[in-house]
Amino acid sequence: MEENQTEKHMLTQAGYDKKQKELEWRKVEYRKEIANKLKEAREQGDLSENAEYDAAKDEQRDNEAMIAQLEEELANSVVIKEDGRTGKKTVHMQSRVQILDVELDEELDYTLVGSAEADIMNNLISNESPLGAAILGHKAGDTVIVDAPAGQLPYKILAVYNE
């Protein structure tokens, strides 16, 4: 792989669609909203001391940066195809997994997604995270060892749900 080649990130179809919808909203609706704010601020006269104009220009800059970021993410993503096989009990992308943190005796529930849509607050972990990489390909009943900053931590896979 060449050094200047962009790394591809995995997204579920839902994650891709969500980013695509946000991109379209930012390009169409939000741009119009900002343009209206700029027009209204310009109509107030002197722009040199116009806080509304400055705020709208900042909002416009931030929106354009986000549009560029979303376009880059979508261009460099691979949509994960759902595994339609029934009865498959190994962990794969989009699996919901119940695991046991053996050391803390705490049950956790995560869904495995690509790094671009990982959101730990919503129990979405990346396949590239230490835990996600460790459980990928394993099945219910397996115990995996996760190399974490705190050391090697054991986790037991309690259940795998592939919807």
Side-chain angles (χ1 to χ4, degrees):
M1 184 181 226
E2 294 178 18
E3 282 184 41
N4 62 354
Q5 227 175 2
T6 305
E7 184 178 327
K8 295 283 186 185
H9 297 284
M10 291 191 236
L11 281 173
T12 60
Q13 186 65 54
Y16 184 89
D17 292 345
K18 181 179 177 185
K19 286 181 182 291
Q20 186 66 44
K21 186 175 180 180
E22 180 182 357
L23 176 63
E24 289 305 312
W25 173 79
R26 286 182 175 280
K27 285 177 132 179
V28 179
E29 294 174 40
Y30 197 39
R31 273 182 176 164
K32 283 182 189 174
E33 188 179 312
I34 294 169
N36 286 335
K37 288 179 184 180
L38 286 168
K39 181 182 176 211
E40 289 172 11
R42 276 192 209 102
E43 290 171 353
Q44 293 176 10
D46 183 17
L47 299 180
S48 63
E49 294 184 21
N50 188 326
E52 288 84 8
Y53 180 79
D54 291 340
K57 288 299 280 183
D58 289 345
E59 196 172 349
Q60 181 181 46
R61 181 198 65 234
D62 293 345
N63 187 51
E64 294 304 315
M66 188 55 126
I67 287 171
Q69 179 183 332
L70 286 166
E71 288 176 335
E72 177 77 13
E73 287 176 9
L74 289 168
N76 293 303
S77 63
V78 175
V79 176
I80 304 155
K81 301 294 181 209
E82 290 187 36
D83 188 337
R85 291 178 282 177
T86 57
K88 183 177 180 191
K89 293 296 180 191
T90 59
V91 178
H92 64 277
M93 298 300 291
Q94 298 178 301
S95 292
R96 187 171 67 85
V97 183
Q98 287 180 308
I99 59 176
L100 174 68
D101 180 330
V102 176
E103 287 192 359
L104 297 178
D105 193 32
E106 178 181 5
E107 285 190 27
L108 306 164
D109 194 332
Y110 293 116
T111 299
L112 195 62
V113 296
S115 62
E117 59 189 308
D119 180 358
I120 195 66
M121 299 306 290
N122 289 306
N123 297 337
L124 302 173
I125 62 168
S126 167
N127 63 305
E128 297 174 17
S129 69
L131 179 58
I135 63 175
L136 194 60
H138 287 274
K139 58 184 182 248
D142 289 353
T143 298
V144 297
I145 303 298
V146 177
D147 289 319
Q152 293 191 325
L153 305 173
Y155 290 88
K156 182 173 183 172
I157 302 172
L158 302 175
V160 179
Y161 304 98
N162 296 322
E163 297 155 4

